């Protein structure tokens, strides 16, 4: 089943023609409307009209997260604020988030892509989509929401968390599709099991899981425990949100919606393009976005692309599961976390040293974060109350900047191991 048969099954030659035409239009718009892109292109002596073939995209400079941060909050928008109907945000590397914007057309395009993704897994009118992605600045909740409405499904906008209620409504409303992070789905499955719930008796048939890395092992567990088919969905705020690519019933990689995004794989060290079948960093250029176009945005996600024909009949290239990142970003309970965010908080705080360690674990399928922080010599005291006070304030600040709660463990000066090379800031004990 296709939502957009024409575009989803377009011959590759035609897709490339469409991509070139849309790329040229996008370049024209960013060159004229976004000083950052104009400057970047002028510095390289490139004009939009120099892009005559798709491969010419390689002449264009990359865009990285730092560029987004430097233009905080709206500096890379390509339309006047009057035309921006929504913003979302995700974690940046410091205290300030990365902000992205959408015009009404962008919101419609996005809903259409989620509609494609949901149709791919057999959802449509008559389905009940329990949307457990977080609503708010995160793109997951609202992104999936509008697409689910578009296909005529009934959306339950329950957002993340509140496991007891999730399980209750899943039964009472007869949810047929669950959308949330794979780790949360596994947690729901186990909590349901513990409560004596037999998922085989529920009408739940499909899960659309993403926003964090997961594995084939987790897929088997989810399919088995929840008695569903579990599908991978990928996306990132900078490029759209969820719905940049989606797994089809063949379950062998995610189709990238190439009529809207031009994907490249590059060698993360040299920046040189790599051929299909080789693993490297995924880079995206948006082809239709109006408010927040991106040119050769380096996702930092490691994967590979395949142009092999797919048994589902879709012609769009497929990307493998994301196997890692080229930076130190962690995804904890679906929230992107950079160790450098913790560092900036500690530098603001007088009482602690900027020596810290993030200890990440998965306890009962829930991510757990403990942050070890060294007290400074001058503050080191055995007055328990005072320590608790520092711990409390730090905990609060961390929750507000990172957007997730963490346990804070204050440790004595000089107890976090020093490294001679690159400091080790993270111990990740999770097994996917
Ligand atoms: O996580 C958008 C999203 C929401 C995708 C809901 C899917 C479902 P960000 O918060 O900007 O956006 O985080 C983007 O999350 O660069 C990847 O590192 C990671 N990521 C997203 N989907 C997957 C996935 C949303 N299916 C970052 N597998 C990306 C592995 C994923 N990693």
């Amino acid at each position: 089943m296709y939502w957009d048969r024409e575009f989803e099954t377009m011959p590759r030659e035609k897709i490339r023609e469409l991509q070139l035409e849309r790329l040229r239009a996008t370049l024209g718009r960013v060159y004229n409307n976004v000083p950052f892109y104009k400057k970047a292109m002028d510095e390289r002596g490139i004009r939009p009209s120099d892009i005559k073939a798709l491969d010419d995209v390689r002449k264009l400079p990359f865009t990285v997260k730092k560029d987004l941060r430097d233009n905080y909050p709206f500096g890379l928008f390509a339309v006047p604020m009057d035309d921006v109907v929504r913003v979302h945000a995700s974690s940046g590397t410091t205290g300030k988030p990365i902000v992205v914007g959408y015009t009404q057309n962008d919101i419609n395009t996005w809903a259409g892509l989620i509609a494609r993704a949901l149709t791919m897994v057999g959802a449509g009118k008559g389905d009940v989509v329990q949307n457990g992605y977080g609503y708010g600045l995160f793109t997951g909740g609202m992104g999936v929401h509008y697409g689910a409405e578009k296909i005529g499904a009934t959306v339950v906008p329950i957002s993340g968390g509140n496991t007891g209620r999730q399980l209750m409504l899943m039964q009472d409303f007869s949810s047929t599709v669950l959308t949330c992070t794979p780790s949360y789905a596994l947690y729901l499955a186990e909590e349901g099991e513990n409560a004596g719930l037999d998922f085989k008796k529920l009408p739940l048939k499909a899960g659309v899981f993403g926003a964090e890395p997961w594995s084939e092992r987790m897929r088997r567990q989810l399919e088995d425990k929840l008695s569903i088919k579990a599908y991978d969905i990928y996306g990132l705020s900078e490029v759209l949100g969820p719905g940049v690519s989606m797994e089809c019933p063949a379950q062998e990689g995610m189709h990238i919606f190439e009529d809207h995004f031009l994907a490249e794989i590059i060698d993360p060290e040299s920046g040189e393009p790599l051929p299909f079948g080789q693993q490297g960093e995924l880079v995206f250029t948006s082809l239709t976005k109006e408010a927040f176009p991106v040119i050769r945005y380096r996702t930092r996600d490691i994967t590979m692309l395949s142009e092999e024909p797919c048994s589902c009949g879709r012609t769009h290239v497929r990307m493998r599961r994301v196997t890692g990142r080229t930076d130190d970003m962690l995804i904890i309970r679906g929230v992107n976390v950079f160790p450098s965010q913790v560092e900036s908080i500690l530098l603001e705080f007088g009482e602690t040293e900027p020596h810290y360690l993030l200890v990440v674990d998965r306890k009962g399928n829930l991510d757990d974060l403990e942050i070890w922080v060294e007290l400074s010599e001058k503050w080191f005291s055995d007055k328990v109350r005072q320590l608790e006070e520092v711990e409390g304030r730090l905990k609060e600040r961390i929750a507000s900047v990172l957007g997730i709660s963490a346990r804070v463990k204050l440790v004595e000066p000089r107890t976090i191991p020093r490294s001679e090379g690159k400091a080790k800031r993270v111990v990740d004990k999770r097994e996917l």
Side-chain angles (χ1 to χ4, degrees), residues 90 133 138-140 210-213 232-238 241-242 301 322 325 329 331 336:
S90 86
Y133 286 115
F138 176 54
T139 52
E212 64 183 13
D232 202 356
I233 183 167
Y234 170 88
L236 62 164
S237 320
E238 297 91 318
D301 288 322
V322 173
R325 297 208 25 111
M329 185 179 95
I331 305 183
N336 303 349

Side-chain angles (χ1 to χ4, degrees), residues 65 89-91 110 114 133-134 137-141 143-144 180-182 208-214 231-245 254 297 299-302 319-325 327 329 331 334-336:
K65 214 183 223 355
S90 86
S91 316
W110 190 8
I114 294 292
Y133 286 115
L137 286 174
F138 176 54
T139 52
V144 168
C180 63
T181 60
V208 177
F209 304 133
E212 64 183 13
W214 53 308
Y231 299 94
D232 202 356
I233 183 167
Y234 170 88
L236 62 164
S237 320
E238 297 91 318
V239 175
L240 178 78
V244 173
S245 66
M254 297 175 271
Y297 184 70
T299 63
R300 303 286 172 193
D301 288 322
I302 301 286
M319 60 181 266
R320 280 265 187 85
R321 278 187 186 288
V322 173
T323 51
R325 297 208 25 111
D327 62 7
M329 185 179 95
I331 305 183
V335 177
N336 303 349

Side-chain angles (χ1 to χ4, degrees), residues 331-360:
I331 305 183
I332 303 175
R333 275 174 258 142
V335 177
N336 303 349
V337 172
F338 290 91
S340 53
Q341 289 176 286
V342 173
E343 189 159 316
S344 346
I345 297 173
L346 297 181
L347 291 171
E348 278 170 27
F349 255 72
E351 300 93 329
T352 56
E353 295 287 334
H355 293 296
Y356 61 96
L357 193 65
L358 277 66
V359 183
V360 197

Side-chain angles (χ1 to χ4, degrees), residues 349 386-396 407-411:
F349 255 72
Q386 206 170 337
L387 291 184
E388 279 176 353
E389 191 265 332
V390 175
E391 218 169 67
R393 268 191 299 131
L394 198 51
K395 212 176 138 151
E396 229 169 72
R407 282 176 289 118
V408 172
K409 181 167 147 184
L410 292 176
V411 298

